[in-house]
Amino acid sequence: NAGVTQTPKFRVLKTGQSMTLLCAQDMNHEYMYWYRQDPGMGLRLIHYSVGEGTTAKGEVPDGYNVSRLKKQNFLLGLESAAPSQTSVYFCASNRGGPYGYTFGSGTRLTVV
Amino acid sequence: AQKITQTQPGMFVQEKEAVTLDCTYDTSDPSYGLFWYKQPSSGEMIFLIYQGSYDQQNATEGRYSLNFQKARKSANLVISASQLGDSAMYFCAMREENDKLSFGAGTTVTVRA
């Protein structure tokens, strides 16, 4: 099993450009999450989903949108990228309970 | 408000010695869980250990043990017999509703030969 796959792994954007980060899981997990990691701040939750067709805001949702049209995919969109969105983005999925978390390998995004 | 606090930005430890990483948390929910994750320089998040709020005994996983003091709201990680491969960033995290995780800022551990 591939687990959680994030696409792309690296990306450089210009301010104002848009892009979509894809997270795909093959474990039939209900829960999916998008986090961002900035130096000295740990991981912070952007948006999450508790099932197909559902999304909810996390701690730092501004500037991002998400969609979960299919159970296995969770998309994170940046409509108009800003330098403050330069970060490493992690997707995670969970089947429910404490031992079911799986993290992707991360996407390093730089906005110039 | 900060839910997870890790007060040690960085620590050095001699190979084969033990090291304790501090973590305090804040919640009013009687049911919660606490994790420790390791993030090596390659960037992946590696699960180390979990402690549920109702667990009677402190969790242990090989060389990792969690010193859970519920009244003090602390969940310190102890790594015994440190190895060079233990050099990494370590995050404490708390499980909340909908299985969301709230992370601390992390502690960088450097193991010296």
Side-chain angles (χ1 to χ4, degrees):
Chain A
N1 286 342
V4 175
T5 302
Q6 292 185 231
T7 309
K9 297 193 184 307
F10 303 93
R11 184 72 185 269
V12 179
L13 282 180
K14 293 183 178 180
T15 298
Q17 286 185 320
S18 64
M19 78 162 293
T20 300
L21 280 66
L22 171 63
C23 176
Q25 52 99 359
D26 60 0
M27 297 167 286
N28 203 36
H29 286 176
E30 290 292 339
Y31 299 82
M32 296 188 75
Y33 313 85
W34 275 107
Y35 294 90
R36 61 177 288 173
Q37 182 178 18
D38 302 303
M41 299 187 72
L43 278 72
R44 292 181 293 167
L45 183 64
I46 305 171
H47 286 280
Y48 65 100
S49 169
V50 299
E52 181 178 312
T54 75
T55 63
K57 294 180 180 179
E59 181 186 357
V60 288
D62 293 343
Y64 305 95
N65 56 74
V66 287
S67 64
R68 183 114 181 255
L69 299 180
K70 294 183 178 180
K71 188 176 185 178
Q72 64 267 35
N73 295 336
F74 195 30
L75 279 63
L76 178 70
L78 288 73
E79 290 186 348
S80 179
S84 60
Q85 294 178 304
T86 293
S87 189
V88 178
Y89 292 84
F90 284 96
C91 177
S93 70
N94 187 18
R95 64 171 182 260
Y99 296 104
Y101 289 98
T102 302
F103 280 85
S105 58
T107 294
R108 186 173 294 275
L109 175 67
T110 302
V111 183
V112 297
Chain B
Q2 188 93 21
K3 296 178 181 177
I4 296 286
T5 303
Q6 295 180 252
T7 58
Q8 306 152 311
M11 296 188 71
F12 291 93
V13 60
Q14 205 64 30
E15 195 176 11
K16 299 181 184 178
E17 292 186 347
V19 62
T20 298
L21 308 184
D22 295 340
C23 173
T24 58
Y25 59 91
D26 183 29
T27 182
S28 57
D29 191 340
S31 178
Y32 55 90
L34 296 155
F35 296 81
W36 278 93
Y37 281 89
K38 173 184 179 181
Q39 186 179 46
S41 57
S42 52
E44 71 266 34
M45 296 293 287
I46 301 170
F47 166 78
L48 295 178
I49 198 166
Y50 173 80
Q51 178 86 40
S53 59
Y54 295 119
D55 293 343
Q56 294 298 312
Q57 293 188 332
N58 286 346
T60 60
E61 292 283 351
R63 294 186 297 110
Y64 305 107
S65 60
L66 199 152
N67 184 2
F68 183 47
Q69 298 187 38
K70 198 170 182 177
R72 296 180 60 186
K73 293 189 174 180
S74 74
N76 299 340
L77 176 71
V78 180
I79 306 174
S80 62
S82 296
Q83 302 171 355
L84 295 177
D86 293 335
S87 293
M89 177 78 85
Y90 290 82
F91 290 101
C92 180
M94 182 166 63
R95 177 182 171 217
E96 302 178 274
E97 63 169 344
N98 291 318
D99 283 335
K100 296 178 291 183
L101 295 180
S102 182
F103 286 84
T107 297
T108 300
V109 172
T110 303
V111 181
R112 290 170 165 162

